[in-house]
Amino acid sequence: MATTSMTERDERLDLLRGPVPPRPHDARTIAALTANPGCDRRAVLDAAGVDKRAVAERLGSGPRFGQSPFAISRGHAFEKLVKAEGGAILLRLLRETLGLDVGEHEWTDLGDGDRKRRYERTRALFAAACANPDAPAVLADHPLLVLDVGGRTAYVEPDVVAFRVSGASTPRWHLAEIKSFPMIDGRADPVKAGEAATQVAVYVLALQELMISLGLPADLVATDVVLVCPRDFTNTPDAALVDVRRQLAAVRRQLNRMPSISALLDRLDPAVTFDLALDADGVPTREPADLAGAVSTVPARYAPECVSRCEMAFHCRDEARAHGSTDLLGRTVRDALGGVGTMHEVLELASAAPSDAAVLSAVLSKESAFDDALADPEAARLLRTARRARAEALRSAADRESA
Ligand code: SF4
């Protein structure tokens, strides 16, 4: 099998993207990536820093999600309020609402400079603070952390504050995430809170990796994070501690499961590129059919959840529909079908007589979008049973109506 050096890999990723600046990973993209780790398409597009929204729009399937400009500016204004005057409001919430012992402290803004420099400053700040547990508590605004995503370094640029709480026998580092969705009666919308928890879990993992790289234990980083949101329908900040251990384990597991980017690139046709061929005004000139052909060379693993998480969702959904893919039925059904890739195959299996070994082996041996090892005659038996049960239920209903 061909192997790709890091330089070759990076050059190949640059060619895939075309002559435009890469779109960097952030906690949101890593969280979305780990929610669907089996999707090679997203892994390759993200690793190359391709603007997926621009690609989807060129394909005529632009995403219909994303924050409105109003929501984005409201979020920025709320974050500014919480961090104003050296984090005065944040400190009050930490001390009075959550009872965390943040005594004397130093507020350090790490948001300036290029990413390499910011990461070095972040690392130096944490190293110095950990070397002197008696020093004042540290509040690090906009620390920059790194994570290995598919064998490639991704910088995560949190809009969070990492702070060290003293008082306990071992000072621990917490992360705070500031969100502009409301917390009503001390509880946030579970879906939004869950998404925020997964994003902060990415930061927790990155901060744990930093501790490990400093020769320190990962458990210096607390897994209960501070979520700061507006209280009820006001603009008054409120805070709650959120346990992200479950999300942290999921993110860690999914990142470990992700195939390496080099292995994915080795499987790609060297001529493939997602370059939109922008003209002097930045308008894409690449023919959509040509671009669609390039996209189709990287296997996707569509799931209904993609619609709210990935810019390519409508294109991938149309593709899955065109193939009659069982991906459309959701992960639970797809997994229960044991690797049977299309609805046509499902119907064939459900109709086959138990002894019809020729149909079973023909369907199950077809090349599937899924892992061949998953193809399972047990799924065929269950499908036949379901079909028989449905036929019997319909027969009984008809009998009852005619009686
Ligand atoms: S929308 Fe497409 S590219 Fe994005 S994660 Fe889903 S299947 Fe993969």
Side-chain angles (χ1 to χ4, degrees):
M1 188 171 71
T3 50
T4 310
S5 73
M6 273 168 66
T7 313
E8 285 170 329
R9 179 197 66 189
D10 292 350
E11 285 171 359
R12 180 77 184 101
L13 290 172
D14 287 346
L15 283 174
L16 282 175
R17 184 180 65 254
V20 288
R23 296 186 76 83
H25 262 303
D26 58 24
R28 201 184 288 259
T29 62
I30 294 173
L33 192 61
T34 57
N36 193 359
C39 181
D40 292 357
R41 184 174 293 171
R42 177 162 191 148
V44 169
L45 290 171
D46 280 352
V50 171
D51 182 344
K52 298 197 295 302
R53 179 176 288 268
V55 168
E57 280 169 356
R58 189 63 186 156
L59 294 170
S61 311
R64 287 163 224 165
F65 67 86
Q67 281 188 302
S68 70
F70 171 71
I72 291 172
S73 61
R74 194 163 52 101
H76 286 155
F78 184 69
E79 183 188 336
K80 219 167 145 186
L81 171 76
V82 174
K83 292 180 178 175
E85 295 172 38
I89 292 181
L90 179 66
L91 279 163
R92 183 175 54 72
L93 289 168
L94 296 178
R95 290 173 179 148
E96 295 173 17
T97 309
L98 304 177
L100 295 171
D101 180 9
V102 188
E104 270 195 60
H105 66 279
E106 282 172 14
W107 178 275
T108 308
D109 189 346
L110 298 160
D112 287 335
D114 64 33
R115 291 185 304 171
K116 195 163 178 291
R117 178 90 191 98
R118 282 180 58 199
Y119 172 66
E120 282 166 1
R121 286 176 61 213
T122 302
R123 187 178 156 84
L125 178 81
F126 284 106
C130 290
N132 182 8
D134 298 325
V138 171
L139 277 88
D141 187 10
H142 288 114
L144 192 67
L145 305 164
V146 296
L147 262 186
D148 184 295
V149 180
R152 209 161 187 237
T153 300
Y155 288 93
V156 286
E157 300 197 34
D159 65 359
V160 300
V161 176
F163 57 95
R164 197 180 61 167
V165 170
S166 38
S169 52
T170 310
R172 301 188 82 202
W173 292 90
H174 289 251
L175 285 151
E177 176 77 352
I178 301 167
K179 292 286 183 193
S180 60
F181 54 78
M183 206 181 284
I184 298 165
D185 289 335
R187 291 174 64 88
D189 175 282
V191 174
K192 289 181 174 162
E195 282 173 4
T198 306
Q199 279 179 39
V200 193
V202 172
Y203 301 139
V204 171
L205 182 60
L207 192 49
Q208 288 187 341
E209 297 288 331
L210 177 63
M211 292 299 162
I212 292 168
S213 77
L214 293 171
L216 297 165
D219 64 7
L220 282 183
V221 184
T223 49
D224 46 349
V225 302
V226 175
L227 184 62
V228 181
C229 297
R231 182 184 306 148
D232 299 329
F233 296 103
T234 68
N235 210 30
T236 307
D238 199 356
L241 276 178
V242 180
D243 182 352
V244 298
R245 273 177 300 179
R246 188 172 56 79
Q247 290 84 354
L248 179 63
V251 169
R252 186 183 283 120
R253 188 174 58 244
Q254 304 293 38
L255 283 178
N256 288 341
R257 274 178 54 190
M258 272 191 67
S260 93
I261 296 303
S262 298
L264 294 180
L265 294 179
D266 284 345
R267 296 205 283 268
L268 271 190
D269 180 337
V272 166
T273 168
F274 307 112
D275 185 355
L276 295 177
L278 303 179
D279 65 14
D281 296 322
V283 177
T285 59
R286 178 125 181 231
E287 282 303 320
D290 187 39
L291 181 61
V295 168
S296 70
T297 60
V298 193
R301 198 167 198 194
Y302 178 78
E305 296 82 6
C306 290
V307 170
S308 59
R309 290 190 179 137
C310 182
E311 293 85 348
M312 296 293 294
F314 292 110
H315 176 75
C316 295
R317 188 177 67 180
D318 288 348
E319 192 181 70
R321 279 181 179 157
H323 289 107
S325 169
T326 49
D327 288 1
L328 293 159
L329 303 172
R331 289 210 182 95
T332 311
V333 176
R334 184 186 67 191
D335 292 348
L337 287 171
V340 183
T342 70
M343 307 221 207
H344 175 71
E345 290 168 350
V346 168
L347 294 174
E348 264 188 275
L349 283 171
S351 306
S355 58
D356 200 344
V359 173
L360 293 185
S361 81
V363 171
L364 293 175
S365 64
K366 274 181 196 163
E367 200 178 317
S368 159
F370 303 114
D371 184 348
D372 285 344
L374 290 175
D376 180 4
E378 176 66 6
R381 190 186 66 72
L382 291 173
L383 283 167
R384 288 195 305 273
T385 305
R387 183 172 182 271
R388 206 166 44 244
R390 179 175 179 274
E392 280 169 13
L394 289 175
R395 228 180 356 261
S396 329
D399 289 348
R400 270 199 306 279
E401 259 180 40
S402 60

